[in-house]
Amino acid sequence: MDPSLPGSQNYSTVSEFILIGFSNFPQHFLLTFFLLFLLMYLFTLLGNLLIMGTIWREHSLHTPMYLFLCALSISEILFTVAVTPRMLADMLSTHRSITFVACASQMFFSFTFGFTHSFLLMIMGYDRYVAICHPLRYNVLMSTRDCARLVSWCWAGGSVMGMILTLIVFHLTFCGSNEIHHYGCHVFALLKLACGKGTAAVTTGVILVCVTALMGCLFFIILSYVFIVAAILRIPSTEGQHKTFSTCVSHLTIVVMHYGFASIIYLKPRGPHSMDSNTLLATTYTVFTPFLSPIIFSLRNKELKNAIQRSFRRKFSSLGF
């Protein structure tokens, strides 16, 4: 960065970082992981595109719940595209450097789409709460305009969070080593390279912002399900209870998986873990979770599964099969 630019003294003199997340793996392991992660990445893209295409074509799915699911699939695709292609390229390369600007961009997009994903899961919980606890007011409370507004707020909130956190982190000075012990520009791996008296305060601030936002979303999801479970228990027939709860299973499974893997990565005790095990553990959130998401929604959501099957039958019948 040009030191003659105004305010450039607040930024790092580092022009690039080295991503060493997979550098210690044997070559034959790298090829195996590359093929596995590539297949999971492609399946993630195709699975989410299939969900979006099915919702677009099937008029019976033009409801608030599937509008939110479509927005969730978009955020899933964009989050995966922001992280995984770079990781795959580095697994086959010996030159694993990333420029300062590219690193900041990757962090911004991963934060933006990650937070947007959490916000969308929260409003999907609210949608299930309204549908089950206030069914007579559902069309009023979840009108098309209100749903579009909620989705817009999720994307705006994710973008603001991504911008604020990225600017805070990259306002620090980076000195000494430029090796990031991760396969991407992960915020906590990057903060370890920062120096100066403001580093500890920024690290604490980033942790508080992330935890507050994510735990806030989780709190509202849990609160929604407390009311949902109470409403389901008031249904007299077991069949009615099962049918009502089945509309929540796919969303609840994704929430447990999303927060479960995130907790394993970010809240695990700091111990004598090898860098290789930490690298593989991080892929559960960036690769494995997005891979499972379309599978869960396609298999656990009966209405969506039937719509996908109808689409395939129409496609094959039109081809003469």
Side-chain angles (χ1 to χ4, degrees):
M1 184 171 291
D2 189 350
S4 65
L5 292 174
S8 63
Q9 67 274 13
N10 294 326
Y11 288 84
S12 167
T13 55
V14 173
S15 60
E16 65 177 18
F17 297 100
I18 309 297
L19 302 172
I20 60 173
F22 285 100
S23 61
N24 293 331
F25 284 77
Q27 193 62 37
H28 61 281
F29 278 168
L30 277 181
L31 184 59
T32 302
F33 285 133
F34 172 81
L35 293 174
L36 176 63
F37 293 153
L38 176 62
L39 289 174
M40 293 174 75
Y41 171 64
L42 294 175
F43 187 90
T44 300
L45 298 181
L46 292 174
N48 281 295
L49 288 172
L50 176 63
I51 288 173
M52 291 163 57
T54 303
I55 293 172
W56 178 266
R57 288 192 303 269
E58 295 287 332
H59 291 287
S60 62
L61 300 182
H62 291 181
T63 62
M65 181 173 71
Y66 293 104
L67 169 66
F68 297 143
L69 177 55
C70 196
L72 193 74
S73 291
I74 294 172
S75 73
E76 198 102 83
I77 288 174
L78 294 176
F79 176 80
T80 307
V81 168
V83 178
T84 307
R86 174 76 205 201
M87 180 190 75
L88 292 171
D90 284 346
M91 292 175 78
L92 297 182
S93 173
T94 55
H95 184 69
R96 297 184 172 96
S97 63
I98 184 170
T99 65
F100 189 85
V101 173
C103 189
S105 299
Q106 188 187 70
M107 182 179 290
F108 166 72
F109 288 121
S110 59
F111 266 137
T112 296
F113 304 134
F115 277 112
T116 300
H117 194 272
S118 296
F119 295 152
L120 286 168
L121 286 176
M122 179 180 66
I123 65 168
M124 288 176 78
Y126 172 70
D127 171 74
R128 292 298 82 208
Y129 159 75
V130 175
I132 293 171
C133 299
H134 303 283
L136 298 180
R137 300 182 59 200
Y138 183 76
N139 291 332
V140 176
L141 295 174
M142 303 300 291
S143 65
T144 303
R145 179 181 295 181
D146 289 333
C147 291
R149 189 180 293 120
L150 286 171
V151 171
S152 299
W153 276 111
C154 287
W155 283 99
S159 300
V160 170
M161 293 290 289
M163 181 63 71
I164 290 174
L165 289 169
T166 304
L167 287 175
I168 289 173
V169 171
F170 281 88
H171 197 71
L172 294 170
T173 300
F174 297 93
C175 54
S177 173
N178 67 339
E179 294 183 343
I180 300 176
H181 289 262
H182 205 275
Y183 54 77
C185 290
H186 187 269
V187 60
F188 296 122
L190 198 60
L191 284 171
K192 291 178 181 177
L193 306 182
C195 56
K197 39 183 191 175
T199 304
V202 168
T203 302
T204 303
V206 167
I207 292 172
L208 286 175
V209 169
C210 292
V211 169
T212 301
L214 296 178
M215 291 300 104
C217 291
L218 183 60
F219 170 77
F220 282 111
I221 291 171
I222 292 173
L223 190 63
S224 296
Y225 275 100
V226 167
F227 287 111
I228 287 170
V229 170
I232 289 175
L233 292 176
R234 289 196 295 268
I235 298 175
S237 68
T238 305
E239 183 183 353
Q241 291 179 351
H242 182 269
K243 185 177 179 181
T244 303
F245 186 72
S246 65
T247 63
C248 306
V249 170
S250 56
H251 173 258
L252 193 57
T253 305
I254 293 295
V255 169
V256 171
M257 185 176 67
H258 177 76
Y259 281 94
F261 282 132
S263 299
I264 290 172
I265 295 170
Y266 295 109
L267 302 180
K268 67 180 175 65
R270 297 289 181 257
H273 304 284
S274 69
M275 191 178 73
D276 292 352
S277 64
N278 288 335
T279 299
L280 288 178
L281 195 60
T283 61
T284 60
Y285 188 73
T286 55
V287 180
F288 196 61
T289 303
F291 166 74
L292 287 179
S293 184
I295 297 175
I296 291 170
F297 276 116
S298 299
L299 296 180
R300 300 299 300 176
N301 188 303
K302 188 176 180 180
E303 194 174 5
L304 179 61
K305 182 171 68 174
N306 291 338
I308 292 173
Q309 290 173 347
R310 285 197 302 272
S311 296
F312 274 112
R313 280 198 296 267
R314 284 199 299 266
K315 187 70 175 176
F316 284 121
S317 63
S318 65
L319 294 174
F321 290 102

